[in-house]
Amino acid sequence: MRKAAVLAAAAVVAAAAAIVVRQRLREAKRWARAAAVLCDLQERCAAPAARLRMVADAMDVEMRAGLASEDGSKLKMLVTYVDSLPSGDEKGLFYALDLGGTNFRVLRVQLGGKEQRVIKQESVGELFDFIAAALTKFVASEGVDYHLPEGTQRELGFTFSFPVKQTSISSGILIKWTKNFAVDEMVGKDIVAELNEAIKRKGLVMKVSALVNDTVGTLAAGRYVDNDTIVAVILGTGTNAAYIEHVHAIPKWHVHLPKSADMIINMEWGNFKSGHLPLTEFDQALDAESLNPGEQIYEKLTSGMYMGEIVRRILLRMAQEAALFGDHTPPKLETPYILKTFHMLMMHHDTSSDLKTVSLKLKEILGIESTSRKTRKLVVEVCEVVARRGARLAAAGIYGILKKLDRVTCSADKPRSVIAVDGGVYKYYTFFGQCMESTLRDMLGEEVASSIVIKPVDDGSGIGAALLAASYSQYLQDDEILA
Ligand code: BGC
């Protein structure tokens, strides 16, 4: 009897052990699968130095092609009609409208010349459809401090962060929408004329005196504080760069010669594409299902609009193929764009020993109740692969511009080159910013790197636009108005 009981107990133990072994085996298999997906991803996203040089060379070649003829390249290399940048002497009351980043804003900037610089700066947030109404309300709420002589038009710098073919400093045709904007009837229209009309209908005495891309505003704002600023880069929801070009290096530009020998070029580098870009099946699927398939490929690898979404797609694959989050794929993980780059950076920057933030974000955003530390660590690694690739490619893009400008070799008389950078990804994704800067330093080598400065510039699309409205004011000779 006793023997039978012992045997039965042994059988139960053996069965339980078998279950545990099976579970461990299954677990090990899942991990092996997840690790294989990660390993494959790391390989495909790798951007080693040699590849980055090829990307930079391709950027340089495309820049030249885009400058040579209108449709010569994926890079539009748009002439901005900004042929002089703020000097610091600008004075007067100006307004700025900022459309195309995360929010729509109206700003009022009082410029006080060299001594006082920006005296006051205020803003309100509103919606696109209510631009003119928002301006009217903003102006109506103004106190006596902001009085302009009778009959004077208020002047507005309009930052419109999309590809625009400018026809003058204050007019331009929308080529296409990017990021998550898509109002089809606006494409092909002069957006300033549309805005001026809306302003007029509201009875407001105001007019756009400068239409600028956010990169151009950032270049102006950068130049305002540092005279060696020659390039501006935005790494935010979208990505782009602008720089100062010699007029004689723009063969396609034969309308009229500007007053100085320079012209700011809005590259629209988000649309850059090259066979050297490390693309994965995740990027291809994201592109195919995007609002603009086949376009903005560089932007889709490097900017805030997309990096979180790439991470989501990778995690979904790991959930489906390796049951990373348990036997069932979390339904929310299947929702496109649910995971923002902002969430990605919070998880990536989690330094707590048990990765508390990762656990919290997975729960809050994707409804994943509980995860092991090992799983959370894997999630961080996925974020790292995607961010590192984006940052290294951004560095290669900057290197390409510096190469085009002949600033990547050493010589005693080489001037300092300052690159003004703005945008949420650069500002808040510390890993991204640091990785981009160290990659650029490595590419340049120590000696050249010592003359290249990356400078964070805040609010180029606000202050920069107001500064350009001042530089191109219709009242430039009128001291009373610009006092
Ligand atoms: C737009 C650019 C803009 C950049 C950064 C891109 O999607 O095409 O015009 O400068 O985003 O905002």
Side-chain angles (χ1 to χ4, degrees), residues 161-286:
S161 306
F162 301 95
V164 167
K165 180 162 173 42
Q166 292 208 216
T167 40
S168 74
I169 180 68
S170 57
S171 57
I173 312 290
L174 174 61
I175 300 174
K176 64 173 188 183
W177 292 105
T178 54
K179 297 172 274 200
N180 50 352
F181 284 71
V183 191
D184 286 350
E185 60 271 24
M186 288 281 288
V187 175
K189 291 209 173 126
D190 181 341
I191 44 161
V192 174
E194 300 281 314
L195 180 60
N196 279 339
E197 279 300 309
I199 290 175
K200 221 196 231 156
R201 277 198 297 274
K202 288 272 167 216
L204 190 63
V205 188
M206 181 183 258
K207 144 175 184 281
V208 173
S209 56
L211 169 65
V212 298
N213 186 263
D214 51 356
T215 50
V216 179
T218 302
L219 191 50
R223 188 61 165 243
Y224 192 57
V225 290
D226 191 327
N227 217 25
D228 290 332
T229 309
I230 53 164
V231 178
V233 173
I234 299 283
L235 293 158
T237 308
T239 186
N240 191 11
Y243 73 102
I244 305 175
E245 185 56 279
H246 299 299
V247 165
H248 62 76
I250 318 173
K252 71 175 177 186
W253 170 250
H254 26 67
V255 181
H256 72 89
L257 285 178
K259 34 183 199 270
S260 75
D262 289 331
M263 172 62 73
I264 310 301
I265 297 290
N266 164 16
M267 290 177 59
E268 286 297 332
W269 86 356
N271 203 35
F272 172 68
K273 195 176 173 179
S274 150
H276 302 301
L277 292 177
L279 289 174
T280 67
E281 68 223 80
F282 301 105
D283 306 304
Q284 273 146 2
L286 178 150

Side-chain angles (χ1 to χ4, degrees), residues 228 230 402-417 444 447-452:
D228 290 332
I230 53 164
L402 292 173
K403 184 164 182 235
K404 162 75 181 69
L405 297 177
D406 190 24
R407 303 272 177 133
V408 293
T409 49
C410 293
S411 93
D413 57 348
K414 272 264 150 73
R416 205 170 143 256
S417 310
L444 291 166
E447 204 174 336
V448 180
S450 64
S451 66
I452 310 280

Side-chain angles (χ1 to χ4, degrees), residues 3-55:
K3 197 171 163 196
V6 170
L7 281 176
V12 169
V13 170
I19 291 175
V20 170
V21 169
R22 263 205 307 278
Q23 261 174 356
R24 291 226 171 117
L25 266 177
R26 210 162 63 132
E27 183 85 339
K29 255 196 199 148
R30 285 175 173 183
W31 269 108
R33 186 69 208 116
V37 175
L38 179 67
C39 194
D40 187 53
L41 182 77
Q42 281 164 331
E43 226 166 78
R44 284 171 200 276
C45 288
R51 189 190 273 261
L52 292 184
R53 289 205 183 276
M54 291 193 276
V55 170

